[in-house]
Amino acid sequence: MQKIKSLMARQGLKSPQESMADLSPVENLRIPSKEELRELREQPIDPQAEQEIINSIEEVYFSNDSFDMVQHELEKLPPELNLQELEEYRDKLKRQQSAELERVTALQTNLQLAAVICTNARRQLSVAKEGFTEASLGLLANQRKRQLLTGLLKSLRTIKTLQRTDVRLSEMLEEEDYPGAIQLCLECQKAASTFKHYSCISELNSKLQDTLEQIEEQLDVALSKTCKHFDVSHYTKVQLAYKLLGKTQIAMDQLHMHFTQAIHNTVFQVVLGYVELCAGNADTKFQKMQYKDLCTHITLDSYIPCLTDLCKALWEVMLSYHRTMQWHEEQDTQENTSAESDELVVDRGYVKKKLEHGLTRIWQDVQLKVKAYILGTDMSNFKYDDFIVVLDVISRLMQVGEEFCGSKSEVLQESIKRQSINYFKNYHRARLEELRMFLENETWELCPVKSNFNIAQLHEFKFMGQCRSPSVSPSRQAVSSSTPAQEELFLFQQYLQEGNPFEMHIEHKEEETEDVLASNGYESDELEKSVYQDYDSDSDVPEELKQDYVDEQTGDVPLKSVSRETIRSKKKSDYNLNKTNAPILTNTTLNVIRLVGKYMQMMNILKPIAFDVIHCVSQLFDYYLYAVYTFFGRNDMYESSGLGLISSRLRTTLNRIQESLIDMSVGEAAGVHGPGEDRKEKVPSPHLSQMVVLTNSGTLYGLAQRVVATESLVFLAEQFESLQSHLDTMMPAAKKPFLQQFYSQTVSTASELRKPIYWIVAAKAIDYEQMLLMMAGVKWDIREIMSQHNVYVDVLLKEFEQFNKRLGDVSRHVRIPLPVSNVLWEHCIRLANRTLVEGYANVKKCSNEGRALMQLDFQQFLMKLEKLTDLRPIPDKEFVETYIKAYYLTENDMEQFIKNHREYSMKQLANLVNVCLGSHINKKARQKLLAAIDDIDRPKR
């Protein structure tokens, strides 16, 4: 600016202020000459170039007004002047002057124009002031005063309305219209804040604040009511009210506190009601007791009803929480479709997170309350059915917990497991003692059941056919396609609107009548009439078996018709003269099966004790097997027979049972009340009832009782086999080897008891000693070949015919299954064959013709024997034939024969050497063979 002023002064120009002070600024404006304008126009118009020229002017030219430019330029001249350089420098200065002069001229022109505009504007404003403003101000003042008075009137009316809102608020609170009341309060507060400059408003604000606090208190009470009985419209009003207050998060915190309190109050009141009811007029102040202590005063009679009501009440609380979550989910879905504020999004996220966390917390509170109730009573003396009901109720509650929050209910499982193990030990101990009593009083008579009997017809196994398993929730159990649609729903779906999943436990179910026993041991009168009719007649086939369907009213799947040929062949081989192929079992067996069903019910309901239950089930079978063996199979006679009647597996099983389960101490009392912990787990060895006689030859040494006992055990083993897959699903993975071992080493050995049990019958039914005596009287050193067999063969065959007849007599009372008859015939034939070999080994002298006679006798025996029995091949046939043919062996062959045939006794082998080979070998060779026999026998001694 200083530069511009200096330049204007030198050019004789006035400043802007001086120009504005002059009324005719245009007259004093210096107009450049034509030459100057032409020179300026000749200069190129380049802003950048002009700016560079201006920038090249020395700073000293703008320093002050007294600066002498001429003197300054003269001083800059060099001592020696150059005309060309001077002209160039002159041109440069001229260009700088022209550029700066153009800018100054333009600026002066603009300033003068602005001064003219301002002057004209001031003149016009003066005219407007005189002609318009002063005349209109009065009118505007009056209008403003009118507006103020109108606003005052409106305010007075609003204040009057605010003073009367308390009456409407009271009405809305009585109607439980909390959102409307809050909305009205908030509007009143907003209006009051507008008129806070009035002195009467301060009192109204205080009153409105008190009203809001009162509404919040009532809201809290209304919120607590939703914890037990959820109502959609009621809860919607409450949530809307809290939303208007801006306390959605606080409301959710309060809600969870109310649910916790509701659980505590609910369980306390239920238990207190039963305790006071059972206590009568007792002076005990139960209301002041802690809940845990209160649970210990529940009586055994009121335990199940109280537990049921407890679970029903807790279900209502959890259902209310479930419906609360559903309400919020539906609201979230609706609000997602509209625009949301950030605050609303935060509230929704908080509510969702709080509700999800509250699931686990509420279920944990429920578990702890029920746990205190479960452990508050000793259930070891409960009846089985009552205890099953308890397990079923708790199992249903655990299913509720899994659907509620996906919990495995570890707290409930642990508490009920403790009670179950305690109960089950006592229960199982009593059942083992009961089983011993049954076995010792069992007469081993046939329990008549229908031909189509199976364990599924027993009440104890009905649970296996039911679709609903109380211990398995729908998330873990595949629902059958035949399951009704009602059962396919989750509990919270099924009972969402009405009903209660625990109602079923207080209803007394009528026991269905079992239809498993045959009338008087027969299934029909027609069957009894057909007992003695010919096998080839159709009359020996029950009408039920001729039909395509059998209707026993048991709900069983219709049976397919059986061919007549199958029935005839089966009846003939099984000595089944008067029975259908109904299972052979005793009352004791039926009771054991029922007991197993009860154990499985308990295991099915409470899987954590599955291993303990299966272990006890195995003990029931072990004890039954051991008792049958002890009563009918233990005999020292067959130990030395060399027949291998007891396999190593069966012997190992019997030894294990005796060591782990049987109390071998003297006296039953010592076994029951012994101090040792292991003694408490053992049971005294059972004793056969004195009413069972096994020494009477007329009854084939108790064959009927032996058949009933053994085949009952085999039938029991078959039922265990059918249950294996079900037990396997219940058994924990770590314990499954125990179950597999039980089946492979114990259950599968049941049929092996047939050999030792029926051996004594075969050993005593035929007089083998008489046959030995008769064989001893036969002369074997004959010189000519005989065409007639010896008499002892006929006597032996007659014994077999008599044995066959006696089997038929026994079968009139008890059906003899084909496996039993095969074992009996196998034992008899094997004993006969070994007796023949023993008889042949007793021969002192024998010729080639005598050996031929032996072959003739044996072939005659085999030919007649094959007509008496269907057993093929004949057992030990090679045993006799090989021994007879050994007579023809040379010395070297005999030595190899002795090494390869160790099934013969030392005496029998020595007889071959002394009698048979003695005629054609020397003494030294005979001694060598006898020494070889002695070497074989030495390890046995």
Side-chain angles (χ1 to χ4, degrees):
M1 181 61 69
Q2 188 64 30
K3 295 179 181 180
I4 296 174
K5 288 181 179 180
S6 301
L7 186 60
M8 291 176 65
R10 293 187 183 92
Q11 294 292 331
L13 298 177
K14 295 182 180 180
S15 66
Q17 290 80 3
E18 295 172 345
S19 299
M20 289 178 65
D22 193 350
L23 292 177
S24 303
V26 179
E27 296 177 359
N28 296 327
L29 182 64
R30 177 180 177 274
I31 303 300
S33 63
K34 293 182 180 180
E35 292 78 8
E36 291 176 341
L37 291 176
R38 185 173 58 255
E39 186 178 355
L40 288 174
R41 284 195 298 269
E42 291 176 356
Q43 298 295 330
I45 301 174
D46 186 354
Q48 184 175 1
E50 287 183 358
Q51 186 63 37
E52 290 178 357
I53 293 172
I54 293 173
N55 292 338
S56 64
I57 300 174
E58 295 182 21
E59 189 69 24
V60 70
Y61 285 99
F62 306 98
S63 58
N64 51 60
D65 296 338
S66 61
F67 175 68
D68 189 353
M69 294 180 289
V70 176
Q71 183 64 32
H72 174 71
E73 291 297 332
L74 292 175
E75 291 177 355
K76 289 172 56 179
L77 293 175
E80 293 182 5
L81 299 176
N82 187 325
L83 182 59
Q84 184 178 358
E85 290 179 356
L86 287 176
E87 289 178 353
E88 290 177 357
Y89 186 67
R90 184 197 60 183
D91 295 338
K92 177 181 178 182
L93 291 177
K94 190 176 182 178
R95 285 194 299 272
Q96 289 177 352
Q97 181 185 10
S98 299
E100 187 65 23
L101 181 61
E102 185 177 355
R103 287 180 60 194
V104 172
T105 302
L107 179 60
Q108 184 180 11
T109 302
N110 291 335
L111 290 175
Q112 290 174 352
L113 180 61
V116 172
I117 293 173
C118 290
T119 300
N120 295 333
R122 285 177 180 180
R123 187 182 299 113
Q124 293 175 0
L125 284 175
S126 178
V127 174
K129 177 179 179 182
E130 294 174 357
F132 178 75
T133 304
E134 292 177 354
S136 302
L137 285 179
L139 180 62
L140 292 175
N142 291 333
Q143 179 64 25
R144 182 172 179 275
K145 184 176 181 180
R146 179 183 177 183
Q147 289 178 347
L148 290 174
L149 291 174
T150 304
L152 178 61
L153 179 61
K154 184 178 180 182
S155 299
L156 292 175
R157 289 174 179 174
T158 304
I159 293 173
K160 182 179 179 181
T161 304
L162 292 176
Q163 294 290 347
R164 296 178 179 178
T165 54
D166 55 342
V167 178
R168 179 54 185 157
L169 284 172
S170 299
E171 294 176 355
M172 298 177 80
L173 290 178
E174 290 179 1
E175 297 170 358
E176 295 186 348
D177 185 8
Y178 305 110
I182 293 174
Q183 185 70 34
L184 181 57
C185 271
L186 293 176
E187 290 176 357
C188 289
Q189 281 187 332
K190 184 178 180 181
S193 64
T194 305
F195 308 110
K196 61 183 178 180
H197 50 282
Y198 296 104
S199 59
C200 60
I201 293 299
S202 60
E203 182 180 353
L204 179 61
N205 276 330
S206 177
K207 190 175 181 180
L208 289 173
Q209 189 62 35
D210 294 340
T211 304
L212 274 178
E213 293 177 359
Q214 181 184 357
I215 293 175
E216 286 190 38
E217 292 177 0
Q218 293 191 23
L219 262 181
D220 193 56
V221 175
L223 185 65
S224 65
K225 293 180 180 179
T226 64
C227 296
K228 291 185 179 180
H229 304 288
F230 184 86
D231 181 78
V232 175
S233 60
H234 178 77
Y235 188 76
T236 303
K237 290 181 180 178
V238 173
Q239 283 296 321
L240 181 57
Y242 274 111
K243 185 177 181 180
L244 292 173
L245 291 174
K247 296 183 177 181
T248 303
Q249 297 185 14
I250 296 177
M252 194 51 53
D253 295 337
Q254 289 293 108
L255 180 65
H256 282 82
M257 184 184 69
H258 288 312
F259 268 105
T260 302
Q261 190 66 28
I263 292 172
H264 174 76
N265 294 339
T266 297
V267 297
F268 187 85
Q269 292 300 324
V270 171
V271 176
L272 178 63
Y274 276 93
V275 170
E276 290 181 340
L277 180 64
C278 298
N281 297 325
D283 296 332
T284 307
K285 296 181 179 180
F286 296 111
Q287 292 185 353
K288 296 183 179 180
M289 285 187 176
Q290 294 292 327
Y291 170 75
K292 186 175 182 181
D293 298 329
L294 193 65
C295 291
T296 60
H297 289 79
I298 291 291
T299 62
L300 297 182
D301 293 337
S302 62
Y303 188 87
I304 293 178
C306 182
L307 176 63
T308 305
D309 287 345
L310 195 66
C311 292
K312 287 168 62 178
L314 289 172
W315 162 261
E316 295 296 337
V317 176
M318 289 186 287
L319 180 61
S320 295
Y321 194 88
H322 177 78
R323 296 186 66 185
T324 300
M325 291 194 67
Q326 277 191 333
W327 186 92
H328 282 280
E329 289 174 0
E330 292 173 359
Q331 292 298 313
D332 290 347
T333 303
Q334 294 174 3
E335 293 175 358
N336 277 335
T337 59
S338 59
E340 301 176 354
S341 63
D342 293 340
E343 182 180 357
L344 183 59
V345 172
V346 172
D347 285 345
R348 282 179 50 202
Y350 180 85
V351 169
K352 182 178 180 182
K353 186 176 181 180
K354 191 76 175 179
L355 286 172
E356 291 175 351
H357 289 176
L359 285 170
T360 305
R361 178 182 171 185
I362 289 175
W363 177 241
Q364 189 70 10
D365 290 342
V366 171
Q367 286 192 90
L368 292 175
K369 298 300 181 183
V370 178
K371 174 187 177 181
Y373 183 84
I374 293 174
L375 300 180
T377 302
D378 182 8
M379 291 188 279
S380 59
N381 296 321
F382 271 34
K383 295 179 180 178
Y384 173 80
D385 292 337
D386 291 341
F387 189 73
I388 285 296
V389 171
V390 173
L391 291 184
D392 199 20
V393 172
I394 299 302
S395 177
R396 175 54 66 95
L397 184 61
M398 287 191 287
Q399 181 181 347
V400 170
E402 182 169 352
E403 292 185 14
F404 186 68
C405 62
S407 171
K408 299 302 180 182
S409 306
E410 290 82 1
V411 175
L412 280 179
Q413 287 196 31
E414 182 60 29
S415 58
I416 199 64
K417 181 179 180 181
R418 285 171 54 185
Q419 285 283 30
S420 298
I421 292 176
N422 182 37
Y423 172 83
F424 196 71
K425 284 183 178 179
N426 294 334
Y427 182 80
H428 179 60
R429 178 68 194 178
R431 300 292 77 75
L432 280 178
E433 289 294 338
E434 185 180 277
L435 177 58
R436 181 171 71 92
M437 180 188 69
F438 269 99
L439 290 170
E440 291 184 345
N441 291 277
E442 178 65 68
T443 58
W444 304 104
E445 297 292 335
L446 190 65
C447 177
V449 294
K450 294 192 174 183
S451 59
N452 64 341
F453 169 76
N454 62 77
I455 60 175
Q457 298 168 1
L458 299 176
H459 292 307
E460 289 77 6
F461 292 90
K462 291 294 184 182
F463 74 94
M464 295 180 62
Q466 295 174 351
C467 296
R468 184 192 66 82
S469 177
S471 61
V472 183
S473 68
S475 61
R476 291 180 291 157
Q477 175 181 344
V479 182
S480 172
S481 58
S482 61
T483 304
Q486 184 75 0
E487 291 293 336
E488 295 180 10
L489 299 175
F490 286 176
L491 295 178
F492 283 97
Q493 296 174 333
Q494 185 174 346
Y495 301 99
L496 184 62
Q497 299 299 333
E498 60 181 357
N500 194 298
F502 299 96
E503 289 285 352
M504 55 179 292
H505 298 292
I506 62 174
E507 299 173 358
H508 298 285
K509 300 178 181 179
E510 296 182 0
E511 291 292 334
E512 300 176 1
T513 304
E514 289 181 339
D515 188 19
V516 297
L517 298 179
S519 176
N520 297 324
Y522 300 98
E523 293 198 28
S524 64
D525 294 337
E526 290 76 9
L527 179 61
E528 187 173 3
K529 293 177 183 178
S530 67
V531 169
Y532 303 107
Q533 294 184 4
D534 185 73
Y535 288 125
D536 294 333
S537 173
D538 288 340
S539 61
D540 68 335
V541 182
E543 288 297 322
E544 292 177 346
L545 295 179
K546 294 179 183 179
Q547 299 174 357
D548 289 338
Y549 297 90
V550 179
D551 185 9
E552 294 283 352
Q553 294 183 351
T554 59
D556 293 336
V557 178
L559 299 175
K560 294 182 179 179
S561 58
V562 184
S563 65
R564 298 175 183 177
E565 291 75 9
T566 303
I567 297 175
R568 291 194 197 106
S569 61
K570 194 167 184 63
K571 282 191 170 187
K572 183 175 180 180
S573 60
D574 286 7
Y575 295 90
N576 188 12
L577 301 180
N578 65 344
K579 302 282 183 184
T580 59
N581 291 329
I584 298 176
L585 68 159
T586 65
N587 286 325
T588 302
T589 312
L590 197 58
N591 286 330
V592 171
I593 293 175
R594 291 183 184 275
L595 191 57
V596 171
K598 291 181 178 180
Y599 281 25
M600 290 182 63
Q601 283 184 37
M602 190 178 302
M603 176 177 55
N604 190 61
I605 295 174
L606 192 62
K607 293 181 178 61
I609 65 168
F611 172 71
D612 303 271
V613 177
I614 292 179
H615 178 69
C616 293
V617 168
S618 68
Q619 286 188 340
L620 293 175
F621 186 86
D622 287 347
Y623 195 70
Y624 195 96
L625 182 145
Y626 185 83
V628 172
Y629 168 75
T630 302
F631 294 166
F632 303 101
R634 180 175 289 173
N635 195 297
D636 296 333
M637 292 179 59
Y638 61 70
E639 294 292 342
S640 58
S641 66
L643 297 177
L645 300 177
I646 299 183
S647 65
S648 59
R649 183 177 62 166
L650 177 57
R651 190 178 301 278
T652 301
T653 298
L654 292 171
N655 291 337
R656 176 188 58 79
I657 296 174
Q658 181 170 305
E659 292 175 3
S660 62
L661 187 60
I662 306 302
D663 185 0
M664 303 303 293
S665 60
V666 179
E668 297 181 1
V672 177
H673 306 289
E677 188 65 27
D678 57 339
R679 294 271 289 279
K680 293 180 181 180
E681 302 296 329
K682 294 185 177 182
V683 188
S685 179
H687 302 286
L688 182 64
S689 173
Q690 296 180 356
M691 298 179 64
V692 181
V693 180
L694 302 178
T695 58
N696 188 353
S697 60
T699 61
L700 271 182
Y701 306 94
L703 178 59
Q705 288 83 357
R706 293 175 186 272
V707 170
V708 171
T710 309
E711 300 313 306
S712 293
L713 177 64
V714 173
F715 177 78
L716 184 61
E718 291 173 352
Q719 305 315 303
F720 269 80
E721 292 286 356
S722 67
L723 297 173
Q724 183 176 3
S725 60
H726 187 81
L727 294 176
D728 187 69
T729 58
M730 300 295 175
M731 181 68 84
K735 300 293 184 179
K736 286 189 178 183
F738 168 82
L739 185 65
Q740 297 171 357
Q741 184 179 14
F742 168 65
Y743 272 92
S744 62
Q745 298 184 6
T746 304
V747 176
S748 61
T749 61
S751 59
E752 296 181 12
L753 281 181
R754 286 171 172 157
K755 286 189 176 182
I757 289 176
Y758 297 131
W759 183 90
I760 191 67
V761 177
K764 293 185 176 182
I766 296 177
D767 192 354
Y768 302 102
E769 293 296 330
Q770 179 188 3
M771 186 174 64
L772 280 178
L773 293 175
M774 294 183 68
M775 293 179 69
V778 177
K779 186 177 181 180
W780 301 102
D781 57 344
I782 57 177
R783 296 301 176 185
E784 59 181 15
I785 298 177
M786 303 297 291
S787 60
Q788 182 64 29
H789 60 275
N790 285 302
V791 179
Y792 73 88
V793 176
D794 295 327
V795 174
L796 179 60
L797 289 171
K798 188 174 182 181
E799 289 275 340
F800 274 103
E801 291 175 355
Q802 185 65 24
F803 175 71
N804 191 33
K805 180 177 179 300
R806 294 166 73 183
L807 284 179
D809 294 338
V810 173
S811 69
R812 295 182 183 275
H813 304 283
V814 176
R815 177 175 63 88
I816 300 179
L818 180 60
V820 176
S821 64
N822 287 341
V823 170
L824 285 168
W825 278 103
E826 180 184 356
H827 282 333
C828 290
I829 295 171
R830 292 182 69 184
L831 286 171
N833 287 337
R834 288 176 180 272
T835 302
L836 289 174
V837 172
E838 187 66 21
Y840 297 151
N842 291 334
V843 174
K844 303 298 181 182
K845 294 181 181 181
C846 183
S847 61
N848 291 338
E849 291 78 8
R851 287 297 176 184
L853 181 58
M854 291 180 185
Q855 290 181 334
L856 176 64
D857 292 346
F858 186 62
Q859 292 301 321
Q860 180 68 20
F861 170 69
L862 291 178
M863 182 178 65
K864 295 293 181 66
L865 182 63
E866 289 177 350
K867 295 180 180 181
L868 295 176
T869 178
D870 295 331
L871 187 63
R872 299 293 185 276
I874 299 298
D876 282 353
K877 175 183 176 183
E878 293 79 7
F879 183 77
V880 181
E881 292 178 341
T882 302
Y883 189 81
I884 295 175
K885 293 176 182 179
Y887 173 80
Y888 305 105
L889 297 177
T890 62
E891 176 185 345
N892 294 333
D893 292 337
M894 177 57 71
E895 185 175 0
Q896 189 64 34
F897 179 87
I898 291 171
K899 293 180 180 180
N900 296 337
H901 293 275
R902 301 192 179 188
E903 66 271 18
Y904 299 106
S905 66
M906 181 180 178
K907 172 190 173 183
Q908 293 167 352
L909 293 174
N911 179 268
L912 287 176
V913 174
N914 290 325
V915 178
C916 303
L917 301 181
S919 59
H920 56 269
I921 62 174
N922 55 34
K923 184 177 181 180
K924 183 178 180 182
R926 186 164 61 252
Q927 292 296 331
K928 180 182 177 182
L929 292 175
L930 292 175
I933 295 172
D934 187 62
D935 291 340
I936 294 174
D937 185 64
R938 188 175 291 113
K940 300 178 182 179
R941 287 179 268 175

